[in-house]
């Protein structure tokens, strides 16, 4: 099943697409800085591996004209939280274990949101981006297992990981992607291992 969704903000509409297989093993949220792709091979690969996939924009068309919008971690985190609220209210998604896969500028926002929504987000992976921009509190409070993918020619992201990982208490793994290596295999394996419904945690930040 395929559905189109949207979230209205004061700065425009955020578009989304849900691909739902017959018996999904989990729901994977793919938060996007760029406009939705008509045919995203990564999303399609996850779908073919049995995951429901929700692809959702984090910034509106109007906001893309401002260069610094993608650097506003707080704004991106608020948008991602709105998406998680949508998931909680949606009958097709609310009962599925939730995983997040973010990349680039969305990475620190995903870390922050996963730390805040520790009873909703069961696992996450990130591809590149400056993980330490999530902030020390988010890194220390993160419960969900984290897979960090870094391109072997991205020393900036690697340095950010090296600054951040010592503050992580959650299960975590860093994987260097070689040139031409697809990220679908390690991401899907990580989600298959870790995506499960988390119990309610007393004193959580939710």
């Amino acid at each position: 099943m395929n559905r189109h969704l949207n979230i209205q903000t004061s700065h425009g509409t955020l578009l989304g697409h849900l691909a739902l297989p017959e018996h999904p093993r989990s729901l994977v949220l793919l938060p996007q800085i760029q406009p939705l792709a008509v045919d995203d091979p990564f999303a399609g690969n996850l779908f073919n591996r049995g995951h429901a996939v929700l692809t959702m924009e984090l910034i509106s068309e109007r906001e893309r004209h401002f260069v610094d919008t993608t650097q506003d971690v707080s704004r991106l985190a608020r948008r991602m939280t709105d998406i998680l609220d949508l998931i909680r209210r949606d009958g097709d998604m609310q009962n599925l274990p939730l995983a997040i896969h973010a990349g680039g500028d969305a990475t620190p926002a995903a870390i922050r949101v996963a730390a805040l929504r520790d009873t909703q987000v069961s696992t996450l992976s990130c591809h590149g981006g400056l993980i330490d921009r999530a902030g020390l509190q988010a890194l220390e409070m993160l419960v969900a297992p984290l897979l960090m993918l870094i391109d072997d020619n991205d020393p900036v992201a690697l340095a950010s990981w090296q600054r951040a990982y010592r503050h992580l208490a959650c299960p975590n793994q860093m994987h260097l992607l070689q040139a031409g290596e697809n990220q679908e295999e390690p991401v899907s394996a990580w989600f298959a291992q870790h995506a499960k419904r988390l119990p309610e945690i007393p004193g959580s930040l939710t």
Side-chain angles (χ1 to χ4, degrees):
M1 181 179 71
N2 289 278
R3 290 174 52 199
H4 295 282
L5 305 94
N6 65 77
I7 294 176
Q8 300 297 326
T9 77
S10 58
H11 298 282
T13 303
L14 308 179
L15 302 177
H17 175 263
L18 172 65
L20 192 69
E22 188 172 353
H23 300 291
R25 61 169 68 178
S26 67
L27 171 67
V28 180
L29 170 62
L30 304 179
Q32 301 292 306
I33 299 294
Q34 300 300 321
L36 296 189
V38 175
D39 185 13
D40 182 355
F42 179 73
N45 192 292
L46 289 176
F47 177 84
N48 290 335
R49 292 170 183 263
H51 302 279
V53 181
L54 174 62
T55 309
M56 200 87 198
E57 295 176 342
L58 292 180
I59 58 177
S60 66
E61 182 178 359
R62 186 193 316 170
E63 291 171 311
R64 291 191 187 97
H65 297 293
F66 302 97
V67 178
D68 61 344
T69 303
T70 63
Q71 304 302 311
D72 189 340
V73 177
S74 295
R75 176 181 296 199
L76 298 180
R78 288 194 301 271
R79 297 287 173 78
M80 213 174 296
T81 300
D82 290 341
I83 297 170
L84 266 59
D85 288 340
L86 172 67
I87 291 170
R88 274 182 166 174
R89 299 190 302 265
D90 188 276
D92 289 328
M93 296 185 284
Q94 60 189 191
N95 293 322
L96 295 174
L98 175 61
I100 299 176
H101 176 76
D105 290 332
T107 287
I111 299 291
R112 190 175 294 183
V113 168
L116 291 171
R117 291 295 183 92
D118 53 3
T119 60
Q120 186 178 9
V121 180
S122 67
T123 185
L124 74 158
S125 65
C126 297
H127 181 196
L130 304 181
I131 181 178
D132 59 331
R133 292 193 66 222
L136 181 60
Q137 182 184 27
L139 294 170
E140 292 178 341
M141 295 298 294
L142 185 64
V143 173
L146 167 66
L147 172 65
M148 187 71 201
L149 303 174
I150 299 176
D151 295 325
D152 64 353
N153 61 350
D154 189 353
V156 176
L158 181 59
S160 178
W161 167 259
Q162 291 170 339
R163 290 191 297 269
Y165 84 94
R166 69 195 67 184
H167 302 291
L168 295 170
C170 65
N172 65 85
Q173 179 179 319
M174 190 274 285
H175 178 78
L176 276 178
L177 289 170
Q178 304 302 311
E181 182 182 358
N182 292 327
Q183 57 178 316
E184 292 92 336
E185 184 65 35
V187 169
S188 182
W190 186 261
F191 289 166
Q193 180 181 357
H194 295 287
K196 58 185 181 299
R197 179 165 298 284
L198 293 176
E200 292 293 325
I201 301 175
S204 70
L205 295 179
T206 49

